[in-house]
Amino acid sequence: MEWKTSQGLVDYDEAVAWMEARATAIAEGRAEECLWFLEHPALYTAGTSAKPEDLLTPDRFPVYETRRGGQYTYHGPGQRVVYVMLDLNKRGRDVRAFVQALEAWVIATLAEFNITGEIREGRVGVWVERPEKPPLPDGSPREDKIAAIGVRLRKWVSFHGLSINHDPELEHFSGIVPCGIAEHGVTSLVDLGLPVTMGDLDLALQKTFEIAFPS
């Protein structure tokens, strides 16, 4: 397993080209699995289920069509993106179980900072309850999204992956309906009041990987 961390901001098209080449090499037995930690410049991506009306300000940031699952997402500085290139031929050819393992990885990572991340039926990603915020009009509690997940498989090797909000500019999410969900907001580790660095987040991700993906 290679743990790859890029400093600075990585161009989106370059990242996708690198991921696709690495996924092909893994499938052909020419390279080992890889987890790539990086940040992107501010941009929006459209997954295979993206709805045009969910792109609210199309001229604000570059928009990239991508063949990962999911709808619109935002990437930008202060957000830890983890591209996950794993060989499901060796880990079990079960897409649902793979996505659940990614969710479990995020939840275990958040628990390192005493944050309770939760999954919601019909809503992709990981959520945190915000009891200090006013409830929704129907009386249900307010929840904010802290992590997004969207993957693609080729020959049972994964690429794309997940993103966790460390300290991005949360207002940038207002240009889209994130993952098609309008009634809930977004948050970050710093927004939740935690004096956490990106390095702290990376260490927590490395520490908890084996919980979700035992070797």
Side-chain angles (χ1 to χ4, degrees), residues 34-35 82-86 88 91 94-110 118-119 124-126 147-153 158-164 205 208-209 211-214:
C34 179
L35 299 173
V82 184
Y83 286 139
V84 180
M85 287 149 278
L86 297 179
L88 271 63
R91 294 177 177 270
D94 187 328
V95 177
R96 181 181 294 273
F98 176 58
V99 172
Q100 289 173 342
L102 291 173
E103 293 170 341
W105 185 23
V106 172
I107 289 170
T109 298
L110 295 175
E118 299 180 296
I119 305 304
V124 181
V126 179
I149 294 172
V151 295
R152 188 176 175 212
L153 299 177
S158 67
F159 52 110
H160 296 284
L162 59 90
S163 60
I164 300 177
L205 283 161
T208 57
F209 179 77
I211 295 175
F213 295 95

Side-chain angles (χ1 to χ4, degrees), residues 33-77:
E33 295 177 314
C34 179
L35 299 173
W36 186 12
F37 290 40
L38 70 151
E39 293 174 83
H40 284 305
L43 57 92
Y44 298 131
T45 66
T48 53
S49 302
K51 302 173 183 176
E53 62 268 24
D54 286 347
L55 180 59
L56 305 178
T57 54
D59 298 325
R60 186 173 190 185
F61 296 126
V63 180
Y64 294 87
E65 301 289 335
T66 177
R67 287 169 286 183
R68 61 154 177 80
Q71 301 187 42
Y72 279 105
T73 59
Y74 166 78
H75 293 313

